[in-house]
């Protein structure tokens, strides 16, 4: 039999952005219900996941770390030790002079931290069960949303679940990823850009230590990122800083060739893939001694034509998705969370608790975040266009690019500005 439940805010999507937003609202004593299609994991299941090294990492900016601290999750991540802080970033190109070095090797300061997705998720889910939030936060896990009904500006949305349950909320927040059901059901269009590239992701153990440095090599075929990974085993910790996460952007056909080599599952083909990757990295960290957890994903950018409608708002990947070359996708979503919560609470306090999620309030959020996200998305696209593809191979472009990197790298105030922007400050 169908049942109906009313709440102030409904969030669809139990990923990092959605849970962080739910916690942030609950800590401000706002009633919120979070709907996650994935079933809730037991403690044993979490521990089994944590025994594996995930090749994927999120490059958390200082701003994202601060937000995770505010909701009490970063403290748990720090206690686990499952993170790799970085104090320097190095960006260089294969076919030119000049490189960009972020951070000061004389006085190292934290630029950010590389953390595996499920490490962040576990900390966030632990926080949802804490006494200071569970009175205000309800989690519905393991059930999919089947339909959305808009009931008018006073009542908001009614959400239908696959078990017949119905939920009603004044404000509906879509945090359900790039293929967002909320965005589709709301009839919000999407601008997309296909890069005709595929990213190969894997974990590698290198001959030389990474020394808390995130590296990015701009190749004619695409970007190759070498990102510090946390040391997981006791053997890793005895000889630290040798594991990296790789994100290697390639033309689709070339990526398919390399992935097929991996599928052949022989020692010879594995050696071929290791050699190809080591050569592409210009042996920046020496030979590759181990390679594991290979995955791939197509590269594209997208942005919702609108972030808001009456009683509805999009955040994170549901609103925008960018090229991974700067590692800013999640960080942009976390900035969405901070902006939305601040704007919602400003109008709520100003109205003495009468206004929550009004369209005028949501429009302020859209005006704050959409232009910034657009600039970031197009900037990453421009960088990819300047370094990879036929246009990037033109000799005048190579010379201009090389000279530009050399000049920019020499201007210390400009480098500090870029460092602060990358940190979300």
């Amino acid at each position: 039999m169908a049942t109906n439940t009313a709440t102030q805010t409904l969030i669809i999507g139990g990923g990092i952005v959605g849970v962080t937003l739910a916690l942030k609202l609950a800590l401000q004593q706002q009633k919120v219900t979070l709907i996650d299609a994935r079933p809730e994991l037991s403690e044993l299941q979490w521990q089994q996941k944590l025994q594996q090294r995930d090749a994927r990492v999120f490059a958390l900016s200082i701003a994202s770390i601060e937000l995770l601290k505010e909701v009490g999750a970063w403290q748990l991540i720090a206690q686990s030790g499952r993170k790799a802080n970085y104090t320097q970033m190095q960006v260089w190109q294969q076919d030119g002079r000049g490189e960009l070095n972020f951070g000061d090797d004389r006085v190292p300061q934290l630029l950010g931290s590389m953390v595996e997705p499920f490490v962040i998720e576990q900390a966030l889910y632990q926080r949802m069960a804490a006494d200071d939030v569970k009175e205000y936060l309800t989690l519905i896990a393991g059930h999919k949303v089947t339909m959305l009904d808009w009931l008018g500006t006073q009542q908001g949305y009614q959400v239908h679940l696959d078990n017949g349950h119905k939920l009603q909320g004044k404000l509906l927040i879509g945090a359900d990823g790039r293929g967002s059901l909320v965005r589709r059901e709301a009839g919000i269009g999407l601008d997309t850009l296909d890069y005709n590239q595929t990213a190969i992701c894997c974990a590698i153990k290198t001959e030389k230590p990474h020394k808390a440095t995130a590296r990015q090599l701009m190749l004619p075929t695409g970007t190759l990122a070498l990102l510090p990974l946390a040391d997981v085993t006791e053997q890793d910790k005895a000889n630290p800083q040798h594991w990296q996460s790789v994100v290697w952007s390639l033309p689709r056909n070339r990526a398919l060739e390399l992935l097929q080599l991996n599928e052949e599952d022989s020692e010879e083909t594995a050696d071929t893939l290791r050699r190809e990757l080591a050569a592409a990295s210009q042996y920046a960290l020496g030979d590759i001694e181990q390679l594991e957890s290979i995955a791939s994903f197509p590269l594209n950018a997208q942005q919702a034509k609108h972030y808001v409608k009456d009683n509805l708002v999009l955040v994170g990947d549901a609103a925008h998705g960018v090229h991974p070359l700067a590692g800013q996708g999640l960080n942009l979503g976390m900035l969405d969370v901070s902006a939305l919560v601040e704007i919602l609470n400003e109008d709520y306090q100003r109205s003495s608790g009468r206004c929550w999620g009004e369209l005028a309030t949501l429009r302020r959020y859209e005006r704050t975040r959409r232009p910034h996200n657009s600039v970031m998305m197009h900037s990453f696209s421009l960088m990819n266009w300047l370094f990879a593809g036929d246009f990037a191979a033109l000799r005048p472009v190579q010379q201009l690019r090389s000279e530009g990197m050399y000049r920019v790298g020499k201007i210390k105030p400009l480098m500090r500005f870029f460092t602060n922007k990358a940190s979300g400050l």
Side-chain angles (χ1 to χ4, degrees), residues 134-148:
K134 63 184 182 182
E135 178 182 349
Y136 302 97
L137 198 164
T138 301
L139 171 65
I140 297 176
H143 293 288
K144 295 181 180 180
V145 174
T146 58
M147 188 168 61
L148 306 177

Side-chain angles (χ1 to χ4, degrees), residues 53 55 202-208 226 229 233 235-236 239 242-246 270-271 273-275 277-278 285-294:
R53 179 183 287 105
C202 59
I204 60 171
K205 185 179 181 182
T206 55
E207 179 184 4
K208 300 176 184 178
L226 302 172
L229 265 176
T233 67
Q235 184 179 5
D236 295 342
N239 187 27
H242 284 265
W243 279 97
Q244 337 271 323
S245 170
V246 169
D271 285 341
L273 188 54
R274 280 199 295 269
R275 286 196 300 270
L277 184 51
L285 294 168
D287 284 330
I288 295 174
E289 298 175 350
Q290 288 179 243
L291 186 151
E292 61 183 45
S293 304
I294 299 173

Side-chain angles (χ1 to χ4, degrees), residues 3-79:
T3 56
N4 294 274
T5 304
T7 187
Q8 182 156 284
T9 303
L10 293 170
I11 300 176
I12 297 178
I16 293 170
V17 169
V19 180
T20 302
L21 177 55
L23 285 168
K24 187 72 174 168
L25 291 173
L27 285 167
Q28 296 182 357
Q29 300 183 353
Q30 301 288 353
K31 289 282 189 179
V32 58
T33 297
L34 177 70
I35 304 169
D36 187 1
R38 301 171 301 178
E40 193 170 3
L41 297 181
S42 66
E43 182 60 30
L44 177 60
Q45 288 172 317
W46 279 118
Q47 292 306 315
Q48 288 173 340
K49 288 174 72 69
L50 289 168
Q51 288 174 7
Q52 305 297 317
R53 179 183 287 105
D54 194 337
R56 301 167 304 153
V57 291
F58 286 121
L60 295 176
S61 67
I62 299 297
S64 293
I65 290 171
E66 288 303 315
L67 179 56
L68 289 171
K69 285 180 182 177
E70 290 171 14
V71 300
W74 184 253
Q75 294 84 332
L76 298 174
I77 294 169
Q79 288 171 15

